[in-house]
Each structure stands twice: as structure tokens, then as C-alpha cells.
Amino acid sequence: MNFTTPPRPFDVTALFPQLAPLARTATRLHPRPGSPTVHESSVGGPLLWPADEPWPYCDRPHDSRAEPPVVHTPDDVRLLRRDRAAAAERRRLDPEAPQWAPEERATWERLANRPWFDGPIALLPVAQLYARDVPFPRPPGADLLQVLWCPFDHETAHPRTALFWRSSATVTDVLDARPEPPVVQRDCYLPEPCLFSPERVTEYPDPLELDEELQDQLEDESRWESIDPALYSAYADDPGELYLNNLSTAPGWKTGGWTRWSLTDPRPRPCPECETEQVPLLTLASSEWDGGSGTWIAEEDPADLSPPPLGARDGRFTLIDIVGGYNLQLHVCPADPSHPHIELVQ
Ligand SMILES: [Zn+2]
Ligand SMILES: [Zn+2]
């Protein structure tokens, strides 16, 4: 399936020519539930992993006193999601049907008491990107990026990611049975397998990354007078919000583009190894859009998404959630992408 982001309401560089040289291409990934193979770019799908390479484990401490105390096995989560989807379908066919069937309720209660696990945790596949599908900065010779994470909160209250770069041609003998973590700390740390439909879009910086003169111009309503308010009626009184939500950065899963700032003001992201400023590599998003980013909803997405497939609301297709609806933005060193990456929650 192809997804088409509607054209931006107007060409912002016509109003602010200084923005033109700051245009960057981002590739929206549009993840949707599917059954990926090792040879496809995916979320939560099987990886093209060499049979003779040890699977990575996390041996850092995991705090059993942290909230929430309930952990699930990956199979528990799959069962819960299947039940949720069945319940949603039942209610769609018959709005008077009970929200949960007795056997679903019994399953939920049985699954609520898994014991905590102390010990090394097998990492989970989160994303696999082939360069032929999706452009991204990469070390020479690599055409495949694999992102795994430990499905527990670490110092930063979100899963800790690990990146692996490969040349896919060198992987001839593929691992067919990978270890799974015995438990995950939150159900939203188990990605729902999804396939991508990449689409290139143009992005401009967050307003706070622009120089002060340009920031002032963006806030100056008289500069926007030539634009028909009908094109942006929701934000007609606030040019700053109009630019931020509709004209700067795209929501959702993507590679490249500009960093999306929301929890903090922009700050430097020096490479831990060589101090070169790191650039956006891959955004793992909690949702494909939110209340403020409605103009980015693809034309192919139904306006009314109820009943949600697999509980997907507001473009929540991967069923990943980062700290209550935020994005985990992986940044990479442009001088050498094999340098340690930076994780940024925004
Ligand atoms: Zn861990
Ligand atoms: Zn570096």
C-alpha cells in the first residue's frame, strides 16, 4: 500500500525564503500490522541475523521495585492483544455485547501475576531497515540496520536500544529460532509486527532551532496575511503553532529529517565518541499522528478509525508506547555512523 501525505497547506519558503536552505528530506515509514519476513524492512519482525552470531542480551540491572510491578511474557501480550481485537470486533458487530467475555476476563486475571525475572534479558527486535527501501546514514558497506531493545526501563525510563549494521549479502545462513525475553516490563514494549510503506516528505527545523530574527518573523501575524485562513483555520490566530504543527516536522515513524522537540528545548547532541553533532536516524513513535498533527494524516488513512484494528487508535499501529505517547528518536554520528548513538525522548 502507498501512503500519501497531503501537500502542506502552502509553500512556507515563499513566505520565508531563509527556510529554503534548511529543508531536509525525511522518510515517513507508515508502519501497519503485517507479517514481515527476514528479507523485509519491518517493525518487530524477524531479523536477518547470522546463525553463527550470538544473540544479544541485556545484563544491566532491572529494578523490580519500579512501576509497574506487573510483567508479562511476550506470549501473554500476544494473547491479550488477540482478545482485545476480538472484543473490539464483537462490539462493532453488536454494540450491546459485553465488553469482555468471561473467558477473556479469566485470561487477564491469570496473566496478571507473572514472577519478576532476574538475569540477562534477550533483546527484542524493534526495527529492521534495508537501505534499498529506506534511506538512512550508514557506515560504508552496510545496507541493513537492525534496532533491538531491552524491554525494561533503564536509567532513562524507557527501553535501551542497541544498533547493528550489516551487509545483507554476507548473511547467508540465517538464524531461524531467536531467543525471546522471558518477560517484558510493559506490554507496550513488545512491538506489534508491522510492514513499512516509505514516503519522502520535506521538513524544516523546530522554530526554537531557528535564529531569533526568523523566529520573530514566524510569530509576526502580518507576515502571514497573504495566506487564506481557510487553509489553516484551526490555528489562524497563532502562526507559531501553525508552523510547528503543520509545516516543520512530520509526526510518526520516520528516518532522517529534523529532530522533533516537545519535552525539552533544543539542545546539542554531540557524538559521545568524536563530538560531531549527531543527526536524526530513526524515530520510534508512539503514534502516527496526534491532535496537533492532523494535517499529516495520509490520504489513504480512514478519517474514522473505529473500530481500531488491534486496538490501534490515533494512529497507534505498532502498539509501542514511549513514556506515555512520546517519541524515541535515535540519532547517529554523520562522521561515522558506527559510533555510539544517542537516544532522545521528545
Ligand atoms: Zn535491560
Ligand atoms: Zn562520532
Side-chain angles (χ1 to χ4, degrees):
M1 180 162 185
N2 289 322
F3 287 90
T4 318
T5 296
R8 297 301 81 204
F10 53 88
D11 177 10
V12 71
T13 62
L15 281 190
F16 305 97
Q18 310 97 301
L19 281 173
L22 301 175
R24 281 188 192 170
T25 299
T27 303
R28 300 189 72 187
L29 298 177
H30 298 297
R32 295 294 184 274
S35 302
T37 72
V38 298
H39 301 294
E40 290 169 295
S41 299
S42 66
V43 171
L47 304 181
L48 188 81
W49 193 271
D52 60 356
E53 182 173 316
W55 190 262
Y57 282 74
C58 176
D59 53 12
R60 296 199 183 184
H62 301 119
D63 186 357
S64 65
R65 295 161 305 168
E67 292 294 321
V70 177
V71 294
H72 304 286
T73 71
D75 278 339
D76 288 352
V77 177
R78 294 180 186 113
L79 189 58
L80 291 171
R81 287 180 183 169
R82 204 186 62 202
D83 279 1
R84 272 183 214 146
E89 177 65 6
R90 185 171 61 239
R91 301 257 289 174
R92 185 180 72 84
L93 296 173
D94 175 11
E96 303 297 310
Q99 184 159 17
W100 305 116
E103 62 272 21
E104 289 164 356
R105 195 175 294 279
T107 305
W108 288 41
E109 283 165 11
R110 180 168 57 80
L111 299 186
N113 289 304
R114 295 292 187 190
W116 186 262
F117 180 85
D118 278 313
I121 297 281
L123 300 194
L124 270 173
V126 177
Q128 170 165 277
L129 300 178
Y130 283 92
R132 59 160 198 262
D133 300 330
V134 185
F136 54 87
R138 52 202 161 103
D143 66 344
L144 178 60
L145 168 62
Q146 294 169 331
V147 180
L148 294 87
W149 71 18
C150 171
F152 280 74
D153 289 331
H154 290 79
E155 309 82 42
T156 44
H158 59 74
R160 192 171 67 87
T161 56
L163 306 189
F164 295 83
W165 308 92
R166 298 188 190 286
S167 158
S168 58
T170 63
V171 185
T172 46
D173 202 3
V174 180
L175 182 73
D176 54 18
R178 67 170 172 88
E180 274 222 313
V183 290
V184 298
Q185 187 169 359
R186 302 168 193 268
D187 62 350
C188 59
Y189 291 168
L190 181 75
E192 182 69 18
C194 286
L195 288 160
F196 293 132
S197 301
E199 179 204 16
R200 293 184 186 215
V201 296
T202 301
E203 293 192 337
Y204 298 95
D206 182 284
L208 294 176
E209 291 206 86
L210 301 171
D211 63 49
E212 253 175 64
E213 184 192 351
L214 191 46
Q215 284 187 38
D216 289 345
Q217 290 178 7
L218 283 171
E219 294 284 346
D220 178 359
E221 290 187 25
S222 68
R223 290 230 163 210
W224 298 82
E225 275 170 357
S226 61
I227 305 301
D228 177 2
L231 291 174
Y232 55 94
S233 54
Y235 296 103
D237 296 331
D238 188 341
E241 286 287 302
L242 163 65
Y243 173 78
L244 178 66
N245 288 323
N246 302 284
L247 301 167
S248 59
T249 57
W253 282 67
K254 63 185 178 182
T255 59
W258 284 91
T259 305
R260 228 171 132 79
W261 301 95
S262 58
L263 279 174
T264 69
D265 282 352
R267 57 172 188 254
R269 286 136 287 157
C271 173
E273 185 115 352
C274 72
E275 300 197 349
T276 305
E277 184 76 355
Q278 294 209 344
V279 296
L281 170 66
L282 172 67
T283 298
L284 288 65
S286 296
S287 61
E288 287 301 296
W289 61 81
D290 60 21
S293 51
T295 64
W296 295 92
I297 298 176
E299 288 167 359
E300 292 78 6
D301 276 315
D304 175 12
L305 280 176
S306 56
L310 288 166
R313 288 182 196 281
D314 301 331
R316 293 174 181 265
F317 300 103
T318 66
L319 303 186
I320 286 175
D321 188 90
I322 303 293
V323 204
Y326 291 94
N327 296 331
L328 180 58
Q329 300 176 79
L330 308 183
H331 287 67
V332 71
C333 177
D336 184 346
S338 67
H339 285 173
H341 67 292
I342 293 177
E343 297 175 336
L344 186 66
V345 170
Q346 290 288 335

